Amino acid sequence: MPKYFLLYFCLRLGFLFSQVNPAYIWPLDVSPVLTANYGQIRANHFHAGIDLSTNGKENLTVHAIESGYVSRIKVSAYGYGKAIYITHSIGKVSVYAHLNAYCAKIDTFIKKEQYKIESYEIDCYPSAKIFIKKGEVVALSGNTGASTGPHLHFEIRDELSEIPLNPLNFYKISDHIKPNLQAIALFDLSDTLNPKFLKSIKISLSKSGLVAQQNSITINQSILGFAFSGYDKNDGNSHFNNIYSSKLYLDGKEIYTHLLQAVSFDESRYVNEYAEASKGLVYQKCFLPVLAPADFVMNSSKQTRISFKDTNYHHLKLIVADESGNQNEVQVYVKSKKITNYHSFISQYDLILDCRKSLYFSKGNLSLFCPPYTFFMSSPLTVKNNLESSGKLVMLPSDLNLKSAMQLRFKIPANYQSNKQKIILKNNGNIYVPSFHADSVSFFVKNLGWFQVDFDSVAPSISLLNMQKKKAPNNTKRIAFTIKDGSSGIATYKLYLNKKFYLAEFDAKNNLLSYAFDQKSPLGLIDVQLDVFDKAGNKASKSLQIKR
């Protein structure tokens, strides 16, 4: 045991020392304005970096914050869009995303790789190092991928673990504003599998600080969870950001702490367990499920549930702080009219899921599998398998959150055998495409609830846009198409000019596929062919002739 403890201690010590702030420069030439901070609550994930304002403009120069080499280049119609990863000598990786264009040496390299595989979308780890000097212009800012407006998404990651770190632990920005709280809330935790929103109390600002509109609270439950809703701001910044840290005290004893500083991508779906919306506010819970990210809540006690053993008033104090050390607090007194007990499991279910163990379950022609730590909570599961009769499958409770995907596998129902290669699985707006195994299909899903087997036999649609109205950034002519798929989604697309492949760019959020003509493009009368495939293998094509 001692040698394992020593190894763990050294690893943690190395991680902590790796946070010493180096002399990084700011990646943009404009004043630092954060439009979103690290740990901001998003759908299915915590924000992994900071979003930097480009004043609503594209094509601002993006500088390397430190010398290093390009370790990864990723181009996607979704997610980060065009992104660069630069590895630095001190064990850190800087990430720049939603870019509009790369600098010349990166652009030349990545286009060569894209043409090799005949694909716009690429995830490349250059074997020959592309060295970058501190301050060198590596790209132009943009709005590519899933960006909702022009900005630079910026990250600093630990090189070995690939965990994104809070960039504000490496930079000092002007901030003299305390975090603000809008409301606090209490949850009924007597049902250990189903926390229930119990009561909210608004918070107001007085001369003495934050004050709860109801300072003394009496309720009918004695097993409780605490939550808060609030935001943070920086000097001269109107954007609402998330609060960096919180500490909850019960009768003077600290029972919960979180820090938004090192949330791994593997743990990012914890946001679904951590945050809950109610009446226009998003509440952040100060109590934990069975499994929670260790580095997120590393100082929390094992018992973050509040369990009163009497009917007296108890003191609760919440302290919230930002990265600059500005902090605020609110205090309330809470008592229960009676001592309540924990609820027992529901009486009817198919199995008990232990979130620490692997799960294998079969019912009829259906099997479920997930490795340990796929779920945050243990829970009874109910499975209603009507795949053979109606193609329907129900797995309850529908709001049980998954940390990672679980596998569903079933024999293809008889009603779907005639067109089995076009099978898809629908679930609350999500569409899953299968892997095929003889007479069975398997899907990796990240939600429970109601599922329906269906077909996708409709090809994508292609529409030509007016070339004269669509110009490339350097004002050269381009050809552009709108491509859409209403079911399984666009998978691949290839543009041919005179039967030769040319690299077209796809902007998924606008359904726009375009190609900018350059000196390597053909002249004269050009035969254009565009082939588009969806994820179910349906193909659409469009042919035309243009003159250049």
Side-chain angles (χ1 to χ4, degrees), residues 73 146 249 475 526:
I73 308 167
Y249 296 83
N475 209 36
I526 305 170

Side-chain angles (χ1 to χ4, degrees), residues 187-192 221 223-224 305 340-344:
F187 282 72
D188 175 9
L189 302 187
S190 56
D191 182 348
T192 60
Q221 301 292 336
I223 305 172
L224 304 170
R305 296 170 185 264
T340 53
N341 297 316
Y342 286 103
H343 294 179
S344 59

Side-chain angles (χ1 to χ4, degrees), residues 141-214:
S141 67
N143 186 26
T144 57
S147 171
T148 56
H151 72 279
L152 175 67
H153 174 86
F154 172 68
E155 297 177 17
I156 296 177
R157 299 186 187 180
D158 178 75
E159 181 185 3
L160 295 179
S161 67
E162 297 186 357
I163 293 175
L165 310 174
N166 189 336
L168 293 190
N169 288 332
F170 299 87
Y171 292 96
K172 296 298 180 185
I173 63 173
S174 180
D175 184 2
H176 299 86
I177 302 173
K178 295 180 179 181
N180 189 36
L181 294 172
Q182 299 161 291
I184 56 174
L186 295 173
F187 282 72
D188 175 9
L189 302 187
S190 56
D191 182 348
T192 60
L193 306 175
N194 186 23
K196 294 180 180 178
F197 195 93
L198 195 62
K199 183 181 182 66
S200 65
I201 300 98
K202 290 184 178 180
I203 305 298
S204 58
L205 181 62
S206 70
K207 291 181 179 179
S208 59
L210 296 177
V211 178
Q213 290 187 1
Q214 185 179 352

Side-chain angles (χ1 to χ4, degrees), residues 78-185:
Y78 308 89
Y80 282 9
K82 293 181 179 179
I84 304 171
Y85 301 69
I86 300 176
T87 296
H88 309 288
S89 60
I90 50 177
K92 298 293 182 290
V93 177
S94 57
V95 183
Y96 315 80
H98 303 309
L99 304 170
N100 200 35
Y102 300 118
C103 68
K105 61 184 176 183
I106 296 176
D107 186 64
T108 299
F109 171 83
I110 199 60
K111 278 188 176 174
K112 187 176 180 180
E113 297 301 310
Q114 289 172 308
Y115 271 98
K116 276 184 185 177
I117 63 173
E118 294 192 353
S119 172
Y120 170 68
E121 302 207 18
I122 189 171
D123 193 359
C124 179
Y125 298 79
S127 55
K129 286 185 170 58
I130 304 172
F131 290 101
I132 301 294
K133 293 180 180 179
K134 183 175 183 177
E136 184 176 344
V137 175
V138 293
L140 298 178
S141 67
N143 186 26
T144 57
S147 171
T148 56
H151 72 279
L152 175 67
H153 174 86
F154 172 68
E155 297 177 17
I156 296 177
R157 299 186 187 180
D158 178 75
E159 181 185 3
L160 295 179
S161 67
E162 297 186 357
I163 293 175
L165 310 174
N166 189 336
L168 293 190
N169 288 332
F170 299 87
Y171 292 96
K172 296 298 180 185
I173 63 173
S174 180
D175 184 2
H176 299 86
I177 302 173
K178 295 180 179 181
N180 189 36
L181 294 172
Q182 299 161 291
I184 56 174

Side-chain angles (χ1 to χ4, degrees), residues 10-22 24 90-92 156-161 165 169-170:
C10 290
L11 288 173
R12 289 300 299 167
L13 191 64
F15 178 80
L16 291 173
F17 272 111
S18 71
Q19 307 311 298
V20 176
N21 292 1
Y24 290 151
I90 50 177
K92 298 293 182 290
I156 296 177
R157 299 186 187 180
D158 178 75
E159 181 185 3
L160 295 179
S161 67
L165 310 174
N169 288 332
F170 299 87

Side-chain angles (χ1 to χ4, degrees), residues 410-461:
F410 53 84
K411 184 178 179 181
I412 299 172
N415 293 341
Y416 296 86
Q417 286 283 351
S418 61
N419 200 15
K420 60 184 180 182
Q421 294 299 321
K422 303 298 182 182
I423 280 180
I424 57 174
L425 189 64
K426 295 181 176 181
N427 163 248
N428 192 32
N430 300 306
I431 296 178
Y432 298 99
V433 178
S435 298
F436 292 90
H437 314 271
D439 62 347
S440 298
V441 286
S442 64
F443 301 84
F444 287 91
V445 302
K446 291 187 176 181
N447 300 85
L448 301 184
W450 287 258
F451 295 82
Q452 176 67 57
V453 179
D454 204 348
F455 293 122
D456 178 10
S457 54
V458 179
S461 64

